[in-house]
Amino acid sequence: MNVLLLSMPDYFEHMPPVAVRMPNGALASLAGNVDAHHAVAVADLILTHGSVRETVIRLIHELHPDVIGLSVMTFQRRTARRIIDLARSLQPAVQIVVGGYDPSLAPEAYEEMGVDYMVRGEGEITFRDLLRAIESGEGYASICGLSYRAGERWVHNPLPQAHRLEDGDIRLPKRAARVLRGYTLLGRQVDVVETSRGCTYDCSFCSIIEMRGRNFHVYSLERVLEDIRDARDHGARTIFLVDDNITLNVRRFEALCQAIIEAGLNELDYFVQAMTSAIADHGETLAPLMHRAGFRYVFLGIENVLERDLQFLRANAKNTARGRGGSRENATVKAINCLHRSKMYVVGGLIVGNPEDTRESVEANLAFARRYVDWPYIQHPTPYPRTPMAQHFHERGLVANERLEEYDGTTAVVRTEHLPAEEIEFLRWKAERWMKLRHLPAAFRHDPWFIVRHAREMLSHTYRGCTLRSVLGLEDNRKAFERYKAIRRGERVYV
Ligand code: B12
Ligand code: SF4
C-alpha cells in the first residue's frame, strides 16, 4: 500500500521556522517498522510554511496514498481537522489514521472528525498490525492501542504494554522515507534520535504518564550509535536527543557520552533535555564528559524557582540536589554552574502563571532567567488533556481560554488567583525578547554565516508587533503586545 505520514505545521513561539525546523521522530520510526512491501512517504509540514495546502495537494496527487497518517499534538488539532477535510475531499476513499499525544489522550475529539482509525500510545507495532489488517481484511479486535469504527460506534481496544526497547522489537527509523528537505537548527541540518522512552516522575503538567504509565525503557547503546550514524549519513550535523528523561539513569548517560566519543561521533553537535537534580548531583563528572561528546545546548526543566510553585507542578523532587550532610537545596543554580563551567549553554525551561502566582512571583522567575539562563524557554501552565494540572485548573475555575489552537505553551490560557492570563503573558513576552537578543552573539560565533543571513528575520520574529517607538520607550509596550497577539493569531492559520 502507499502510505503518507504527515506531521503538523503548527509551531510555537520558541521554535520559529526561520531558525528551527526539526523532523518528527515518530513518523520515521513508524516508517521503519511497517512491513517492507509498503511504500511509505514522510512529510513534515513544518518545512512547508506558506504552502501547506499546496504541498498536501501535491503529495496526494503524486503519491496516491491508500493510507494517510497524521501525528497531532493538542494545539495542532484544528490544523489536523483541516488537513483531514482536505485529504478526504481530494481522495474520498483514503483511510485516515491519527496518532500521537492528542488522539491518544483525547480520542473522543476525533470520533466525529472523519478519521477511520486512531492509534493510542506507542505506534510502531499497532500501526504495522493495522496495515496488515487493512490488507488482509481480518479484523481489528486483537490490535492493542487501536480505535476503529464498528458501524455507528467506536471501539477502543486496550492499550499495549509499554514497548521493551531492550528486546530489539523496534527497528531503526527509516529516514529515507522523508520526501521534504530543509531541516535546520540555526543553520545546521538537524535530526532527532531516541535513546530511551518514558519517565518515572509525575510532574502535573506533563502528558507522559497518562500516555504510557510510569516506566523507563532503553535502547542498547549499539543501536543508539547506529541511529546517530544513520542520521549523520542522511546529512545531519546536529542531533536532538528527544528522550523523555535521559538523565533518569545517569550512569547510562555517561556511558552513552563515552560511546559517542569513542565512535568519533562527537564531531556532531548535540542538544538534550535534562533534569536539574541529575545535573546538579552528577555534573562535576557528567558535564565535562557531555562537553567532550559534543553536547552544546542543554534544556533544563527548571520549571520554577519558588518552592510553592514547584509543589504545584509536582516538580520539587527533580529540582532538588543532594546537599552536604543530607540537606536539600534547589538544584538549579548548581546545575547551571556545572553546565557553564563545561562551556555548554542552558536553555531554561520555566513555567510562570501557576494558581498562586502574583506579579512578584512571576517577576522573580523572570529575573532568575535573565540572570542565569542563556536562552529562555519560558512557558505558561497549559492544561493538556488528562493531565493532573488540567483537572486542577478546571476545578478552581481558572481556565480563561478554551481555544485549543492557542494551547502552545506561550499563550497564557489560565489565570492565577491574582493575575489575569493576558497580564501574565505580557510580563513574559516583555522580558523574554531581550533575553533572546542577548544570545545572538553566541549564536553568531558558532554559525556566523547563518546569523548574517537570517538575523534580520529572526529579530523581526522575536520583536513582532514592536516599532522603533515602542523599543525606544516612546509608546506603551502594551500596544506592541496587542499587535503581537494579533500577528500570532494570524500565524496560526496554516491551512
Ligand atoms: C522531544 C520533544 C519535543 C521537541 C520536538 C522535536 C521533534 N520535532 O521531534 C521540541 C523540544 C522541539 C518540542 C517542542 C514542543 N513540544 Co514537545 N515534547 C518532546 C518529548 C520530550 C518527546 C517527543 C518525542 O519525540 N518522542 C519520541 C517519539 C518516537 O514518540 P512520540 O512522539 O510519542 O510518538 C509515538 C506515539 O505517540 C505514536 N505516534 C505519534 N505520531 C503518530 C502518528 C501516527 C499516524 C501513528 C499511527 C502513531 C503516532 O507512535 C510514536 C512511536 O511510538 C515529549 C514528551 C515529554 N516527556 O515531554 C514532549 C511533548 C510531545 N511536547 C509537547 C508540547 C506541548 C510541545 C510544545 C508545544 C512546547 C510546549 N508547550 O511544551 C512544542 C511544539 C513544537 C512545535 N512544533 O513548535 C507535549 C504535547 C502535549 C499534548 N497533549 O499535545 C509533550 C507531551 C510534553 C508535555 N508537555 O507533556 N517537543
Ligand atoms: S521529569 Fe520530565 S518527562 Fe518526567 S514527568 Fe516530569 S516533565 Fe515529564
Side-chain angles (χ1 to χ4, degrees):
M1 285 190 291
N2 292 337
V3 181
L4 173 60
L5 298 176
L6 302 170
S7 65
M8 299 302 98
D10 314 46
Y11 66 92
F12 93 127
E13 189 59 19
H14 298 320
M15 303 267 154
V18 55
V20 187
R21 296 187 295 273
M22 277 199 257
N24 173 307
L27 298 186
S29 186
L30 294 173
N33 282 280
V34 298
D35 294 321
H37 63 282
H38 298 298
V40 186
V42 168
D44 285 297
L45 296 178
I46 195 83
L47 299 170
T48 65
H49 271 272
S51 61
V52 176
R53 175 175 286 271
E54 294 76 358
T55 307
V56 173
I57 294 173
R58 177 176 66 76
L59 290 172
I60 291 180
H61 282 150
E62 283 175 14
L63 302 169
H64 304 292
D66 303 292
V67 176
I68 295 181
L70 288 83
S71 183
V72 195
M73 287 196 225
T74 302
F75 80 109
Q76 303 172 326
R77 192 187 292 172
R78 185 178 70 175
T79 304
R81 181 196 296 274
R82 291 177 182 174
I83 291 177
I84 290 165
D85 290 346
L86 176 62
R88 193 60 86 199
S89 69
L90 294 168
Q91 201 154 317
V94 70
Q95 305 274 304
I96 298 183
V97 193
V98 288
Y101 275 84
D102 197 41
S104 300
L105 299 177
E108 61 289 347
Y110 289 79
E111 292 190 355
E112 303 302 324
M113 230 196 253
V115 308
D116 301 289
Y117 312 97
M118 303 172 210
V119 168
R120 295 158 15 250
E122 281 168 295
E124 287 88 353
I125 304 301
T126 309
F127 189 59
R128 181 198 67 192
D129 291 351
L130 170 64
L131 295 189
R132 285 180 187 170
I134 294 173
E135 250 180 355
S136 68
E138 273 174 12
Y140 309 111
S142 62
I143 305 178
C144 288
L146 184 71
S147 300
Y148 60 100
R149 289 170 191 278
E152 287 299 296
R153 66 186 183 94
W154 276 88
V155 179
H156 300 285
N157 289 346
L159 283 173
Q161 292 278 325
H163 293 328
R164 278 186 45 81
L165 308 179
E166 296 81 354
D167 296 342
D169 295 344
I170 308 293
R171 295 198 300 257
L172 282 177
K174 187 176 177 188
R175 296 186 170 83
R178 293 177 183 151
V179 293
L180 303 175
R181 300 280 165 266
Y183 300 109
T184 185
L185 210 166
L186 289 168
R188 295 187 181 205
Q189 187 172 325
V190 64
D191 213 323
V192 296
V193 166
E194 286 182 278
T195 92
S196 66
R197 284 184 189 171
C199 183
T200 52
Y201 285 78
D202 65 343
C203 304
S204 68
F205 54 89
C206 184
S207 309
I208 189 79
I209 304 308
E210 272 299 319
M211 180 77 170
R212 52 176 293 125
R214 289 170 84 170
N215 52 65
F216 182 63
H217 289 289
V218 299
Y219 285 120
S220 72
L221 295 188
E222 293 71 33
R223 185 203 192 270
V224 176
L225 294 183
E226 207 181 327
D227 200 4
I228 297 175
R229 272 190 210 101
D230 183 65
R232 181 199 58 191
D233 295 346
H234 282 86
R237 291 294 164 267
T238 297
I239 303 290
F240 193 111
L241 296 181
V242 293
D243 300 37
D244 299 310
N245 190 348
I246 201 168
T247 46
L248 265 182
N249 184 342
V250 173
R251 295 289 160 251
R252 173 179 176 275
F253 186 32
E254 285 176 343
L256 171 64
C257 293
Q258 196 65 51
I260 287 174
I261 297 165
E262 283 164 16
L265 290 167
N266 52 348
E267 56 176 1
L268 305 173
D269 284 346
Y270 294 85
F271 283 48
V272 70
Q273 329 200 53
M275 217 166 35
T276 49
S277 58
I279 301 288
D281 287 342
H282 303 276
E284 296 299 334
T285 47
L286 177 60
L289 197 57
M290 286 170 71
H291 177 61
R292 282 176 46 220
F295 284 83
R296 187 168 158 70
Y297 283 85
V298 179
F299 174 97
L300 270 191
I302 301 167
E303 322 307 4
N304 206 285
V305 295
L306 303 176
E307 192 60 30
R308 181 197 62 209
D309 282 338
L310 279 178
Q311 261 169 32
F312 169 73
L313 297 167
R314 289 205 214 151
N316 22 12
K318 68 167 188 157
N319 284 286
T320 310
R322 284 196 298 270
R324 279 201 195 87
S327 71
R328 293 164 83 79
E329 59 190 31
N330 189 295
T332 307
V333 175
K334 197 171 168 189
I336 292 174
N337 287 340
C338 277
L339 294 170
H340 280 166
R341 273 198 301 276
S342 288
K343 300 187 176 53
M344 285 177 279
Y345 293 115
V346 173
V347 179
L350 286 148
I351 303 179
V352 298
N354 300 303
E356 306 298 335
D357 271 350
T358 56
R359 182 177 301 276
E360 291 70 33
S361 59
V362 172
E363 294 283 11
N365 278 283
L366 297 175
F368 180 89
R370 213 175 277 123
R371 175 159 174 206
Y372 288 103
V373 310
D374 302 291
W375 182 262
Y377 198 92
I378 306 172
Q379 302 196 55
H380 306 297
T382 308
Y384 290 120
R386 291 178 51 188
T387 55
M389 172 185 275
Q391 194 185 347
H392 195 97
F393 273 108
H394 281 290
E395 279 170 7
R396 287 179 72 165
L398 294 173
V399 177
N401 175 347
E402 307 259 9
R403 294 184 297 276
L404 294 185
E405 60 277 12
E406 296 183 18
Y407 279 41
D408 55 13
T410 46
T411 310
V413 297
V414 295
R415 62 182 179 85
T416 78
E417 296 290 0
H418 311 281
L419 286 173
E422 189 120 328
E423 183 64 13
I424 304 160
E425 188 178 330
F426 173 67
L427 293 173
R428 177 197 58 77
W429 169 85
K430 188 158 64 87
E432 217 170 21
R433 299 167 301 165
W434 298 102
M435 297 184 218
K436 287 181 175 171
L437 179 68
R438 212 177 46 184
H439 191 62
L440 218 54
F444 176 81
R445 284 194 293 280
H446 196 53
D447 295 286
W449 184 228
F450 174 79
I451 299 297
V452 166
R453 279 189 304 154
H454 296 285
R456 204 184 140 93
E457 220 180 322
M458 284 161 68
L459 284 176
S460 56
H461 176 270
T462 306
Y463 285 84
R464 323 210 267 315
C466 300
T467 58
L468 190 60
R469 277 169 51 75
S470 62
V471 171
L472 293 176
L474 301 172
E475 183 195 44
D476 188 349
N477 259 319
R478 281 171 205 275
K479 287 232 169 71
F481 179 63
E482 274 164 29
R483 286 195 295 268
Y484 155 77
K485 293 279 285 179
I487 295 170
R488 188 76 192 104
R489 268 193 297 279
E491 285 173 350
R492 288 196 182 97
V493 181
Y494 299 91
V495 190

